[in-house]
Amino acid sequence: GQGLYWTSGYEPDPRARNSCVDIDECEYGIHDCQPSQQCVNTPGAFHCTCPDGYRKVGLECIDIDECRYRYCQHRCVNFPGSFTCQCEPGFQLASNNRSCNDVDECNMGAPCLQRCYNTYGTFICRCNQGYELDQDGFTCNDIDECSYSTYLCQYQCVNEPGRFSCICPQGYQLLGTRLCQDINECEMGTHQCSDSQNCINFHGGYRCVEKNQCQEPYVQVSENRCLCPSTNPLCRDQPSSIVHRYMSITADRTVPSDVFQIQATSIYPGAYNAFQIRSGNEQGDFYIRQINNISAMLVLARPVTGPQEYILDLEMVSMNTLLSYRSSSVLRLTVFVGPYSF
C-alpha cells in the first residue's frame, strides 16, 4: 500500500487508521513562548500572545500603563496587568468603576452638632442663631450675648442657651423685650390698702396713706385739702390751708430738671404772691423758680439717688402792702425717688 506522511504539527491518530491529529504544543510544553506570554494552540501550530493588560514588545510582554490614557475621573493606580480608579476624599466610586460621585456626608452621619450643609466633595457645619462654631468646625458653642454689651437690657441681662432675656427688678415689669416699666399696683388692684386709705403709686412700689391727712387745728374740707379755721386762735400764725400731693421721679435724673408746677387757686386783687420752700429741703436738692404772680416751678437742683422720699412744704405767701394783708397756703408735696433711673 501507499505510505502516510505527517506534516509538522500533526501526529498519527491512534484511534483511527490513516488519520492525523493536531499536536497541542501548549499542552505538551513544546512551544517556545516566553514566561510572560500565553501559548495559544492552533491547528497544526501555536502562537504566543500577551495576557490582558500587556502588550508585546519584541519577544516580551510589557505591562500597559492604562493610567496614561486618563480612564479615571480622579486618581488612577496602575499595577501589573490592570489598574484601579480611586476617588478623592468626599467622593465615592461610581458603578462604572471610573467616575466619582459626591458623597452627601450630611446624610451619612457627619459630625455637625447642629446644622450640616453638603457641598461638592465635602460639607460644612453651621450653628443656629445664638451659637458660634467652635474651632474644631463641628461643635457649636453658646454666645454669651450679655458679655458683649451692657445696653442689651435696661436692668439685667440673663444669658440662656442660644439666646438671652432681660429681667426687671421687683416692682417693675418687662416692656417689650428689654425695657422695664413700673407696675402700677394701685391701678391693678394688687395693693393692700384699706378703705380708709388711698393707694399712692411710685416707681418700684406703692404707699398706703390715710384719706384724712389733716391734723389739729386743721380740718378736712375735701380730699387731700385741710383748712385752718380763722375762728381758731391756733390758726393765727399757720398757713390757711394745706393741700397734700404726691409724685414720683426716677433716680439719677438730669439736672436742673423741672419737677412740679405750683398754681395759685385763689387770687386776691392787688396781692403780690411769693413762692418758697417752707421745709423739707434742708440739703438744698430743690429750688423754686417763680414763673409769674400766680405760678412757680419746683426744680430739682442736684442729682438724687433712690429709694428715698422728700416731704416738701411749698408755700405761697400773698401780700398786700396797702391793706397790710398777709396770708399763706401750703402744698405739701411728697416726692418719691425710685431706686433706678427708669
Side-chain angles (χ1 to χ4, degrees), residues 8 13 28 77 98 154 184 201 205 230 235 248 251 255 330-331:
S8 175
D13 186 352
Y28 291 118
V77 179
R98 294 185 177 183
Q154 191 172 38
N184 192 330
N201 184 70
S230 58
C235 294
S248 177
V255 292
V330 165
L331 189 149

Side-chain angles (χ1 to χ4, degrees), residues 104-114 116-117 123-125 138:
D104 187 353
E105 295 88 351
C106 297
N107 288 329
M108 298 179 66
C112 296
L113 184 64
Q114 291 185 350
C116 179
Y117 294 93
F123 66 96
I124 54 175
C125 298
F138 311 121

Side-chain angles (χ1 to χ4, degrees), residues 221-238:
V221 292
S222 62
E223 188 168 341
N224 295 332
R225 183 176 176 86
C226 304
L227 189 67
C228 203
S230 58
T231 55
N232 191 330
L234 297 175
C235 294
R236 183 171 299 172
D237 297 323
Q238 298 294 328

Side-chain angles (χ1 to χ4, degrees), residues 78-281:
N78 184 68
F79 60 86
S82 186
F83 70 98
T84 58
C85 293
Q86 295 180 351
C87 297
E88 301 291 344
F91 296 86
Q92 60 184 4
L93 203 60
S95 58
N96 61 12
N97 290 325
R98 294 185 177 183
S99 302
C100 293
N101 295 330
D102 173 59
V103 174
D104 187 353
E105 295 88 351
C106 297
N107 288 329
M108 298 179 66
C112 296
L113 184 64
Q114 291 185 350
R115 287 188 287 172
C116 179
Y117 294 93
N118 185 62
T119 59
Y120 190 68
T122 185
F123 66 96
I124 54 175
C125 298
R126 289 291 181 264
C127 298
N128 298 328
Q129 185 175 359
Y131 295 85
E132 60 185 355
L133 197 64
D134 191 81
Q135 292 181 349
D136 62 13
F138 311 121
T139 309
C140 292
N141 299 323
D142 174 57
I143 298 173
D144 185 359
E145 297 89 350
C146 299
S147 66
Y148 288 134
S149 173
T150 57
Y151 298 101
L152 288 176
C153 298
Q154 191 172 38
Y155 175 65
Q156 184 175 337
C157 179
V158 178
N159 185 61
E160 300 172 7
R163 60 186 298 270
F164 73 95
S165 62
C166 298
I167 60 173
C168 295
Q170 185 176 0
Y172 294 81
Q173 61 187 357
L174 205 59
L175 178 64
T177 58
R178 60 173 298 272
L179 301 179
C180 292
Q181 182 183 45
D182 170 58
I183 297 172
N184 192 330
E185 296 86 354
C186 300
E187 287 187 358
M188 296 179 65
T190 56
H191 59 83
Q192 302 295 323
C193 300
S194 67
D195 292 340
S196 64
Q197 296 174 321
N198 286 324
C199 179
I200 307 299
N201 184 70
F202 57 86
H203 289 89
Y206 70 95
R207 176 74 55 82
C208 297
V209 297
E210 295 298 324
K211 291 182 178 179
N212 185 357
Q213 291 282 298
C214 303
Q215 296 178 349
E216 289 289 342
Y218 290 87
V219 293
Q220 187 176 29
V221 292
S222 62
E223 188 168 341
N224 295 332
R225 183 176 176 86
C226 304
L227 189 67
C228 203
S230 58
T231 55
N232 191 330
L234 297 175
C235 294
R236 183 171 299 172
D237 297 323
Q238 298 294 328
S240 61
S241 66
I242 299 176
V243 175
H244 295 268
R245 290 284 185 267
Y246 305 88
M247 69 170 300
S248 177
I249 62 174
T250 58
D252 303 318
R253 190 164 174 166
T254 56
V255 292
S257 177
D258 292 352
V259 172
F260 189 86
Q261 184 169 348
I262 313 160
Q263 189 81 25
T265 55
S266 299
I267 304 172
Y268 300 98
Y272 169 74
N273 298 316
F275 298 87
Q276 64 182 13
I277 301 177
R278 182 184 177 99
S279 64
N281 191 36

